Amino acid sequence: MSLTYSPISTDWPCQVKTPGNRDWERSAAKWLRELVPTRYASYPLLIRQPVLLARHAQIQLQQEIRVVRTALHSARAELPALGMPESVIEHTIKLYAAELTQLNHIARGVRVITQALVESHGARQGH
């Protein structure tokens, strides 16, 4: 089986074996399950279909990114009214900014994993 996709990229998660390695799809599914709420990670359909699991992880991350962006952009306006001192507000903004960076990195990882899973399944099915 020859894959045209090369996962050698800074976005490829270090916890996931690269295509061509034994059990790479299992390592991808394990990583993806950690990104979705526990109840979704236990559904047999998502366990058997890693592409569906990857799709759900992408949607989940998109929502998390929206939530963090909202929290970041509203922090300076809303936190003073909640009695937060300036130092706490500054730390909160830094926390949200760091989390946004991390979530975007994970989202890029999910995209490259999804692409590799789709190509792997297509290669096996002769597409």
Side-chain angles (χ1 to χ4, degrees):
M1 171 174 59
S2 167
L3 295 176
T4 57
Y5 177 71
S6 174
I8 307 306
S9 117
T10 57
D11 294 331
W12 192 267
C14 61
Q15 304 92 325
V16 179
K17 296 177 182 180
T18 54
N21 285 303
R22 185 171 178 222
D23 290 336
W24 87 266
E25 286 189 23
R26 186 173 298 155
S27 71
K30 180 179 186 290
W31 182 74
L32 291 165
R33 279 193 309 271
E34 293 171 3
L35 300 177
V36 300
T38 306
R39 66 185 180 279
Y40 287 99
S42 66
Y43 286 127
L45 178 63
L46 294 181
I47 292 169
R48 287 191 308 270
Q49 299 293 330
V51 173
L52 289 178
L53 182 61
R55 178 183 175 271
H56 191 83
Q58 283 181 323
I59 294 167
Q60 191 76 36
L61 280 162
Q62 289 168 359
Q63 293 301 320
E64 286 186 54
I65 289 168
R66 274 192 208 105
V67 168
V68 173
R69 279 190 183 135
T70 299
L72 175 63
H73 296 302
S74 63
R76 196 162 301 286
E78 294 178 5
L79 293 180
L82 297 174
M84 294 290 120
E86 184 61 29
S87 63
V88 171
I89 294 169
E90 290 305 316
H91 280 90
T92 302
I93 289 169
K94 287 178 184 173
L95 175 147
Y96 287 141
E99 183 64 13
L100 195 54
T101 299
Q102 180 67 12
L103 287 170
N104 280 312
H105 177 72
I106 293 168
R108 288 190 304 274
V110 171
R111 283 193 293 275
V112 296
I113 294 292
T114 302
Q115 183 179 353
L117 286 168
V118 167
E119 291 188 14
S120 175
H121 284 255
R124 268 191 301 217
Q125 294 172 357
H127 295 126

